């Protein structure tokens, strides 16, 4: 018999989790479909279910000197219009789902589902985002890239709740985002790509790139980014092929109902070139 | 079984049922409110749209548990408002209602948009209704209808 719990406080939720594992439902926009049954029948949940969407303690956005802190049940629609949220993340969110889904869907949902095609994960990887996992007695903070261990797999324990998403503050000259999908709204990405860059006196002082839907998890390679950090903007165009060759082994997409391997790989490599050309063009503006 | 309390079209309701049930099923079956339709059943078409605390959301992906202590309005409740009259007339005049299955969701998407932004541009309207599919109008008539409702209903939103 499946047991249902709507906790009134975070403490009540954590205490319950310390006794039994629960299927956690936030906004429910993925879980309710994943466990969908025939019309007018309850979803086929296999475990006890806990509904945390309305927990007050898990709502809100704040910041300190080093980072922006997003409580895990803050809806995407709230992030979308919040001044503290980085413009790149807002741009990504605007292309996720639709206003109706964004009103209940959360960043935390994107993280715990750990889909290789999770749109919000792509910019979050760029910023070395961390997540806070809280249990009844403890709390730990880990890198998002360590939290997600594979497609649909995370290192979150059964007694833990993802309570905060911590985005380190990041200085950029500009950013770039492309999502390739079948429809502007409500599409799951065939491939997505985000990049940020920083230029000082014609020198590229930072560059970050992340790819979605091209591998088991989001692809980000600091070692490849380092290959071109420190270069003069005028020398960037000569490095495009070298960058594409360096990323090629990490771009290992699959064939599925949305797209195929060959197309995804080619587009991913094209997007690298487009991003670099975008930086060159922006840098040459008077 | 759990007891769930929520406001439905302005009236407080208490219902004892399985809280994992989709709000859509509860509205249609337990309250006989058939204005919210099941289209795709997976959040892509918007035929099941309702207002949750005044903002559009899809009742097909929302467990009843999530509306505990919150406020729901369906097209049946909204149809009793002055804002609805403005939208209804504008939709009719612009030819924005054809087969009708998307219409309750479209009207609620328009309400949710106008509530946040009483004078939207065409582009903002298209984002506002981006989660609602219509296979008859080609959308232009709906965009026109919402544009005209915003003008005609000035001061209402």
């Amino acid at each position: 018999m499946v047991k249902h719990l709507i906790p009134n406080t975070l403490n009540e939720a954590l205490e319950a989790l310390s006794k039994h594992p629960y299927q956690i439902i936030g906004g429910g926009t993925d879980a309710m479909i994943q466990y969908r049954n025939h019309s007018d029948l309850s979803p086929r949940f296999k475990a006890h279910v806990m509904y945390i969407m309305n927990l007050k303690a898990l709502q809100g956005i704040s910041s300190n000197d080093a980072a922006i802190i997003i409580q895990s049940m803050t809806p995407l629609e709230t992030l979308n219009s919040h001044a503290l949220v980085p413009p790149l993340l807002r741009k990504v969110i605007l292309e996720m789902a639709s206003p109706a889904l964004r009103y209940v869907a959360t960043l935390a949902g994107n993280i715990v589902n750990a889909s290789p095609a999770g749109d919000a994960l792509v910019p979050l990887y760029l910023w070395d985002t961390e997540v806070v996992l809280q249990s009844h007695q403890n709390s730990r903070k880990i890198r998002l890239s360590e939290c997600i261990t594979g497609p649909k797999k995370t290192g979150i324990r059964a007694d833990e709740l993802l309570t905060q998403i911590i985005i380190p503050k990041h200085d950029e000259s500009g950013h770039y985002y492309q999502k390739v999908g079948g429809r502007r709204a409500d599409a799951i990405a065939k491939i997505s790509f985000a990049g940020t860059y920083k230029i000082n006196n014609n020198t590229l002082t930072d560059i970050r790139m992340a790819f979605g839907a091209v591998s088991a998890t989001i692809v980000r390679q600091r070692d490849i980014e380092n290959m071109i950090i420190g270069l003069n903007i005028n020398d960037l165009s000569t490095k495009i092929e070298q960058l594409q060759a360096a990323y090629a082994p990490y771009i290992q997409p699959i064939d599925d109902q949305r797209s195929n391997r060959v197309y995804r790989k080619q587009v991913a490599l094209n997007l690298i070139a487009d991003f670099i050309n975008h930086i060159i063009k922006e840098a040459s503006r008077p | 079984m759990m007891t769930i309390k929520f406001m439905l079209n302005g009236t407080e309701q208490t219902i004892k049922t399985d809280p994992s049930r989709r709000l859509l099923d509860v509205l249609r079956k337990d309250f006989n409110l058939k204005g919210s339709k099941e289209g795709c059943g997976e959040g892509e078409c918007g035929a099941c749209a309702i207002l949750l605390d005044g903002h559009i959301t899809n009742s097909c992906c929302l467990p009843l548990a999530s509306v505990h202590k919150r406020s729901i309005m369906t097209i049946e409740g909204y149809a009793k408002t002055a804002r609805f009259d403005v939208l209804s007339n504008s939709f009719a005049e612009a030819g924005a209602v054809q087969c009708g299955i998307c219409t309750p969701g479209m009207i609620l998407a328009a309400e949710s948009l106008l509530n946040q932004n009483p004078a939207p541009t065409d582009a903002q309207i298209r984002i506002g209704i981006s989660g609602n599919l219509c296979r008859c109008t080609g959308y232009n008539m709906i965009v026109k209808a919402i544009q005209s409702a915003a003008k005609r209903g000035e001061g209402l939103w």
Side-chain angles (χ1 to χ4, degrees):
Chain A
M1 185 66 184
V2 170
K3 198 165 96 184
H4 301 274
L5 177 68
I6 308 174
N8 287 310
T9 63
L10 180 58
N11 194 50
E12 185 189 345
L14 295 172
E15 198 178 339
L17 280 174
S18 71
K19 291 172 188 148
H20 296 286
Y22 281 85
Q23 163 81 42
I24 309 286
I25 307 293
T29 56
D30 269 301
M32 289 296 284
I33 293 156
Q34 208 179 321
Y35 294 98
R36 184 182 173 189
N37 205 336
H38 295 288
S39 286
D40 203 34
L41 292 177
S42 301
R44 299 183 170 104
F45 291 122
K46 293 181 187 82
H48 297 330
V49 192
M50 184 188 292
Y51 305 88
I52 62 165
M53 179 174 110
N54 296 325
L55 272 184
K56 292 267 182 308
L58 299 182
Q59 301 285 338
I61 304 161
S62 58
S63 77
N64 57 33
D65 289 347
I68 298 139
I69 300 142
I70 299 171
Q71 301 298 321
S72 61
M73 286 299 111
T74 313
L76 295 179
E77 196 74 356
T78 304
L79 300 180
N80 212 2
S81 52
H82 201 289
L84 283 176
V85 175
L88 171 58
L89 184 56
R90 281 190 264 160
K91 188 184 263 184
V92 171
I93 288 172
L94 250 186
E95 290 191 36
M96 287 174 78
S98 63
L101 291 175
R102 290 197 291 264
Y103 187 54
V104 292
T106 60
L107 277 187
N110 227 217
I111 294 170
V112 301
N113 276 315
S115 162
D119 287 341
L121 302 180
V122 180
L124 293 180
Y125 268 61
L126 289 183
W127 297 312
D128 301 325
T129 299
E130 295 174 307
V131 292
V132 174
L133 304 174
Q134 206 172 329
S135 57
H136 191 41
Q137 302 295 351
N138 268 308
S139 154
R140 60 186 176 124
K141 188 163 78 171
I142 59 171
R143 276 267 182 108
L144 173 60
S145 55
E146 285 156 23
C147 178
I148 294 177
T149 53
K152 305 264 162 210
K153 288 197 189 90
T154 70
I156 304 172
R157 295 194 314 256
D159 67 334
E160 287 177 326
L161 265 188
L162 198 174
T163 54
Q164 290 182 336
I165 295 139
I166 299 178
I167 305 177
K169 283 191 178 159
H170 169 69
D171 192 20
E172 61 171 41
S173 305
H175 56 255
Y176 171 98
Y177 177 64
Q178 289 290 339
K179 170 177 174 175
V180 182
R183 172 182 166 197
R184 285 290 285 278
D186 280 340
I188 298 174
K190 296 173 197 276
I191 172 168
S192 57
F193 175 93
T196 66
Y197 60 93
K198 173 84 185 151
I199 297 167
N200 254 336
N201 294 328
N202 269 344
T203 303
L204 187 70
T205 55
D206 190 26
I207 187 165
R208 300 172 182 209
M209 293 180 240
F211 303 78
V214 300
S215 184
T217 58
I218 306 301
V219 169
R220 173 151 182 239
Q221 292 299 126
R222 193 59 178 162
D223 52 337
I224 301 179
E225 294 166 358
N226 281 334
M227 280 169 46
I228 57 166
I229 290 176
L231 288 186
N232 189 289
I233 298 300
N234 298 321
D235 298 331
L236 276 185
S237 62
T238 63
K239 296 289 177 184
I240 292 175
E241 280 180 29
Q242 205 182 323
L243 273 178
Q244 289 172 321
Y247 277 109
Y250 298 99
I251 314 268
Q252 299 287 349
I254 55 164
D255 292 326
D256 63 13
Q257 73 275 27
R258 281 185 289 282
S259 188
N260 64 61
R261 195 149 49 92
V262 178
Y263 176 81
R264 282 176 158 137
K265 181 143 193 168
Q266 188 59 57
V267 172
L269 297 176
N270 292 351
L271 285 171
I272 297 171
D274 197 52
F275 176 44
I276 300 297
N277 288 324
H278 170 85
I279 297 175
I280 296 168
K281 205 171 122 202
E282 289 296 312
S284 70
R285 275 175 198 265
Chain B
M1 298 289 263
M2 271 182 93
T3 303
I4 305 291
K5 258 189 200 173
F6 63 110
M7 294 293 286
L8 176 58
N9 296 331
T11 309
E12 188 171 273
Q13 299 287 355
T14 304
I15 171 173
K16 205 172 173 191
T17 184
D18 173 352
S20 73
R21 291 174 64 204
R22 306 184 303 175
L23 178 63
L24 174 67
D25 294 325
V26 175
L27 292 173
R28 291 179 62 87
K29 190 94 174 183
D30 301 39
F31 292 97
N32 201 32
L33 297 169
K34 304 279 174 71
S36 320
K37 321 285 186 204
E38 174 152 22
C40 67
E42 49 190 42
E44 290 197 6
C45 77
C48 66
I50 49 99
L51 299 174
L52 172 62
D53 294 326
H55 194 292
I56 185 171
T57 198
N58 293 324
S59 65
C60 77
C61 333
L62 200 62
L64 182 66
S66 291
V67 309
H68 186 51
K69 299 182 185 168
R70 295 188 67 171
S71 176
I72 299 295
M73 185 168 274
T74 67
I75 192 69
E76 289 86 352
Y78 188 64
K80 293 176 186 149
T81 65
R83 291 176 176 186
F84 172 83
D85 290 339
V86 173
L87 277 168
S88 165
N89 290 332
S90 302
F91 268 62
E93 279 169 27
V97 179
Q98 293 183 25
C99 89
I101 191 158
C102 76
T103 310
M106 283 292 180
I107 295 273
L108 293 175
E111 157 60 29
S112 182
L113 169 70
L114 293 172
N115 197 26
Q116 292 174 76
N117 178 1
T121 62
D122 272 22
Q124 288 166 334
I125 293 175
R126 285 177 193 278
I127 292 174
I129 61 169
S130 61
N132 297 71
L133 293 181
C134 169
R135 301 287 81 159
C136 303
T137 62
Y139 301 101
N140 289 334
M141 295 157 175
I142 295 173
V143 174
K144 237 183 235 163
I146 297 173
Q147 203 61 276
S148 122
K151 284 198 192 91
R152 192 186 296 209
E154 221 188 313
L156 269 182
W157 280 281

